[in-house]
């Protein structure tokens, strides 16, 4: 009796583990199933509340928002980060420009006050010369 020689790589395709792809698909389908179940439950509760007591709808809306918040808040935070940074940058630049404007305005006011003070002193000195007795 002669035994056929098995090739070591003949069944290689069968030995390869393709489970990660299937697990990812299963995980996705589980998430989709959970989402559909959650949406259906919320819909049934919402219709029940609307039929029984419409005043409870704001509470249901708050409950749904509280339920969805953990899923979406991190994404919102990531999206708002650059916008917040640019807002702070703009506010800083506005503050710097305002500081420059106030410094210039202060300088102009001091110049005007100095001119008025000099004019007042020169006018005060002129009448003193006119009121001096002439000989």
């Amino acid at each position: 009796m002669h035994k056929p020689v098995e090739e070591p790589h003949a069944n290689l395709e069968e030995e390869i583990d393709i489970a990660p792809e299937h697990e990812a698909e299963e995980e996705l389908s589980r998430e989709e199933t959970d989402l559909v179940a959650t949406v259906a439950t919320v819909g049934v509760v919402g219709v029940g509340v609307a039929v029984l007591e419409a005043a409870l709808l704001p509470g249901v809306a708050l409950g749904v928002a509280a339920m969805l918040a953990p899923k979406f808040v991190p994404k919102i935070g990531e999206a708002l980060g650059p916008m917040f940074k640019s807002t702070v940058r703009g506010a800083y630049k506005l503050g710097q420009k305002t500081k420059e404007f106030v410094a210039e305005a202060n300088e102009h006011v001091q110049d005007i006050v100095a001119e008025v003070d000099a004019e007042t002193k020169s006018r005060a000195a002129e009448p003193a010369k006119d009121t001096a007795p002439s000989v």
Side-chain angles (χ1 to χ4, degrees):
M1 298 202 128
H2 185 274
K3 284 185 178 181
V5 177
E6 291 186 27
E7 293 181 27
H9 301 293
N11 296 329
L12 186 60
E13 292 178 4
E14 295 174 10
E15 294 176 12
I16 294 177
D17 186 21
I18 2 179
E21 292 177 10
H22 291 296
E23 287 177 6
E25 291 174 4
E26 289 175 11
E27 184 66 31
L28 183 61
S29 64
R30 283 185 211 144
E31 288 179 9
E32 289 175 352
T33 304
D34 290 344
L35 181 64
V36 169
T38 302
V39 168
T41 304
V42 169
V44 169
V45 170
V47 169
V49 167
V51 168
L52 297 176
E53 187 65 42
L56 297 176
L57 283 176
V60 171
L62 286 174
V64 169
M67 178 189 70
L68 294 176
K71 292 181 182 178
F72 294 110
V73 168
K75 294 176 186 174
I76 292 171
E78 291 173 4
L80 292 179
M83 186 174 70
F84 179 72
K85 189 175 181 178
S86 66
T87 302
V88 170
R89 184 180 295 123
Y92 178 76
K93 287 180 181 179
L94 179 66
Q96 292 298 318
K97 293 291 184 182
T98 303
K99 187 177 178 180
E100 291 173 11
F101 175 76
V102 168
E104 280 187 37
N106 186 22
E107 185 178 335
H108 286 298
V109 168
Q110 287 178 356
D111 290 345
I112 293 170
V113 167
E115 286 178 22
V116 169
D117 189 40
E119 288 176 7
T120 305
K121 286 181 182 178
S122 68
R123 285 186 188 160
E126 285 179 15
K129 291 179 184 176
D130 291 339
T131 58
S134 43
V135 183

